[in-house]
Amino acid sequence: MGVWSETFNRKLAQGHDHGSAAHAADQAEARERRQNTGNHPDPLSDLQLEHALALEIIEALADGDPCQLDHNGNCQAHAAFGDGECPHALAKAWLERNRA
């Protein structure tokens, strides 16, 4: 695992509160990286940070309970009505594909 993965796994394991000491440490780490690269942000690093944040948010919001579809294909467990797959099922599938 790379440095980014270790940082993000730590965030996910501890939770990521923007007022926390961990968040402040992450911000300081990001500033130092920018200084070490001549103040040019690394687009890949920014993308990885956004991906980790999306992972954290989706993981927090997705319900782990299984879907319960009715005769119309609506998910009763998550009150998902309308066209398409239940958003919780989509979120769980996305998390499975994106967890490192």
Side-chain angles (χ1 to χ4, degrees), residues 49-62:
L49 181 60
E50 290 298 318
H51 182 268
L53 181 59
L55 179 70
E56 187 175 337
I57 291 169
I58 293 169
E59 196 167 52
L61 294 175

Side-chain angles (χ1 to χ4, degrees), residues 4-95:
W4 283 101
S5 298
E6 292 168 8
T7 300
F8 295 140
N9 283 336
R10 176 179 46 81
K11 281 186 197 178
L12 291 174
Q14 296 174 345
H16 189 68
D17 176 11
H18 285 280
S20 71
H23 179 73
D26 292 339
Q27 293 299 310
E29 191 177 307
R31 279 191 300 278
E32 183 179 333
R33 274 195 306 278
R34 281 194 292 277
Q35 289 171 350
N36 292 339
T37 59
N39 282 331
H40 298 288
D42 179 0
L44 181 57
S45 297
D46 290 344
L47 181 61
Q48 288 171 319
L49 181 60
E50 290 298 318
H51 182 268
L53 181 59
L55 179 70
E56 187 175 337
I57 291 169
I58 293 169
E59 196 167 52
L61 294 175
D63 185 359
D65 292 338
C67 293
Q68 296 174 0
L69 303 180
D70 65 14
H71 63 281
N72 292 318
N74 296 315
C75 181
Q76 296 295 311
H78 303 115
F81 305 104
D83 296 334
E85 196 171 350
C86 174
H88 291 275
L90 294 172
K92 288 187 281 189
W94 187 89
L95 286 169

